[in-house]
Amino acid sequence: MRNITEHNITRAVIERFAGCSDARLRQVMGSLVTHLHDFVREVALTEAEWAQAIGFLTATGQACTDQRQEFILLSDTLGVSMLVTALNQRHPLGATEATVLGPFHVEGVAEAAQGADLAQGAPGEPLFAEVQVLGLDGRPVAEAEADVWQADAAGLYDVQRPELGGAHRARGRLRTDAQGWLRFRSVLPTAYPVPTDGPVGQMLRATGRHAWRPAHLHLRVSAPGFETLVTHLFREPDPWLDSDAVFGVRSSLVVRFERHEAGTAPDGTAMAGPFHVLRHRLVLAPAAQGSP
Ligand code: BEZ
Ligand code: FE
């Protein structure tokens, strides 16, 4: 096809995918080109803006390392991650809602014992968490595997602290007991800004947006026969609950972390100062037909 114009170029590009034997790839690429071209037409993108966009995406790729995923952060702050989660994690009524995984999850953390202090020296007020994992029928899910991770009082994850040399803090992997309980000690999570020292930070500043996420604890829970749940428990009150920088808050995930004065903690520890207690139930959805 010659003499391509602004009017026929979209069709011309889509026709080039006609020989693609992967029907899903053909559908995705065709739709992507349609929407991308429509976007360029709708905003009448200038050449300078196009060059700026290429520069932005290049810088986003260059900001990625083994420890940092600026593209996921871009997806998060543009609401794409949460949209993909919402489309793919439509759990039945009564099951705990899912939210974004985020960039700070670490695979393969060593398993900790029930009741372990996951804080490992992380700064923050002590937290004692008791989370019970149930099925939709209300029966406890034993031997479920749970990854837990969170920011410390300074709003930093262990992976954002090079001084730790890769050691884990305020992070752990636990297994539920026979009654479905996960019990661990950690620190009170605090609100924190997503990283703003890269291109995503420039985008947030240029568009007058803040970078804050409300305080939360991340959980990923998996067990045979159930859908893997990736979620957060958000601590209320928090000024950022209604304007989370990554659009991840769901009302059902907002919980109270009870504050206690000095005294005996739930695990029997005598606490000389204030501490917090989180008690919550997570409900797993049964595995969809055909999933492992
Ligand atoms: C997080 O909660 O860890 C997170 C999620 C999305 C972007 C940045 C951080
Ligand atoms: Fe987080």
Side-chain angles (χ1 to χ4, degrees):
M1 194 178 185
R2 295 187 185 180
N3 303 319
I4 297 293
T5 69
E6 65 185 273
H7 304 294
N8 62 16
I9 190 165
T10 306
R11 190 163 45 86
V13 177
I14 290 170
E15 280 171 8
R16 292 288 169 91
F17 296 130
C20 176
S21 56
D22 181 332
R24 175 65 176 163
L25 181 60
R26 202 165 61 242
Q27 180 197 11
V28 169
M29 292 305 293
S31 179
L32 177 68
V33 166
T34 302
H35 288 278
L36 215 46
H37 286 202
D38 282 349
F39 156 73
V40 170
R41 285 188 197 93
E42 184 183 317
V43 301
L45 200 70
T46 67
E47 286 170 299
E49 288 165 343
W50 176 81
Q52 195 179 359
I54 296 289
F56 176 79
L57 292 175
T58 303
T60 301
Q62 287 167 341
C64 294
T65 66
D66 287 351
Q67 301 296 322
R68 174 172 186 152
Q69 234 303 350
E70 193 78 359
F71 266 115
I72 294 184
L73 188 58
L74 182 58
S75 161
D76 295 335
T77 50
L78 294 182
V80 179
S81 307
M82 194 57 211
L83 177 57
V84 173
T85 298
L87 283 173
N88 289 278
Q89 303 283 334
R90 292 189 179 116
H91 291 167
L93 205 66
T96 302
E97 292 190 279
T99 188
V100 286
L101 178 70
F104 299 123
H105 177 254
V106 175
E107 284 297 345
V109 171
E111 193 170 319
Q114 280 284 345
D117 185 1
L118 304 182
Q120 295 294 314
E125 293 185 25
L127 169 71
F128 293 85
E130 300 190 327
V131 178
Q132 192 181 25
V133 180
L134 304 170
L136 264 185
D137 56 6
R139 297 227 298 262
V141 180
E143 294 288 311
E145 216 176 85
D147 283 354
V148 179
W149 68 107
Q150 61 163 103
D152 61 25
L156 291 173
Y157 285 80
D158 50 6
V159 293
Q160 293 176 293
R161 290 182 175 276
E163 72 274 17
L164 294 179
H168 294 312
R169 257 180 25 176
R171 176 187 304 277
R173 188 152 63 89
L174 298 157
R175 221 168 256 282
T176 55
D177 68 11
Q179 290 310 310
W181 287 99
L182 297 166
R183 293 188 174 87
F184 58 91
R185 183 172 165 173
S186 188
V187 290
L188 189 68
T190 53
Y192 64 86
V194 300
T196 55
D197 56 345
V200 170
Q202 282 170 12
M203 181 275 287
L204 293 176
R205 283 187 292 280
T207 55
R209 287 177 54 180
H210 74 71
W212 287 88
R213 297 218 64 206
H216 59 272
L217 181 78
H218 293 257
L219 290 134
R220 185 181 75 173
V221 185
S222 53
F226 295 92
E227 292 292 317
T228 295
L229 172 67
V230 175
T231 198
H232 299 5
L233 294 176
F234 293 93
R235 178 165 72 94
E236 78 170 348
D238 189 296
W240 309 109
L241 281 168
D242 288 309
S243 64
D244 180 9
V246 307
F247 308 95
V249 179
R250 314 197 72 89
S251 299
S252 67
L253 303 176
V254 178
V255 298
R256 288 240 161 225
F257 290 55
E258 267 173 44
R259 187 176 192 279
H260 294 260
E261 295 306 330
T264 308
D267 68 354
T269 308
M271 300 298 291
F275 60 94
H276 302 259
V277 175
L278 165 67
R279 275 199 193 89
H280 196 70
R281 284 179 166 173
L282 297 177
V283 179
L284 301 185
Q289 297 257 311
S291 57

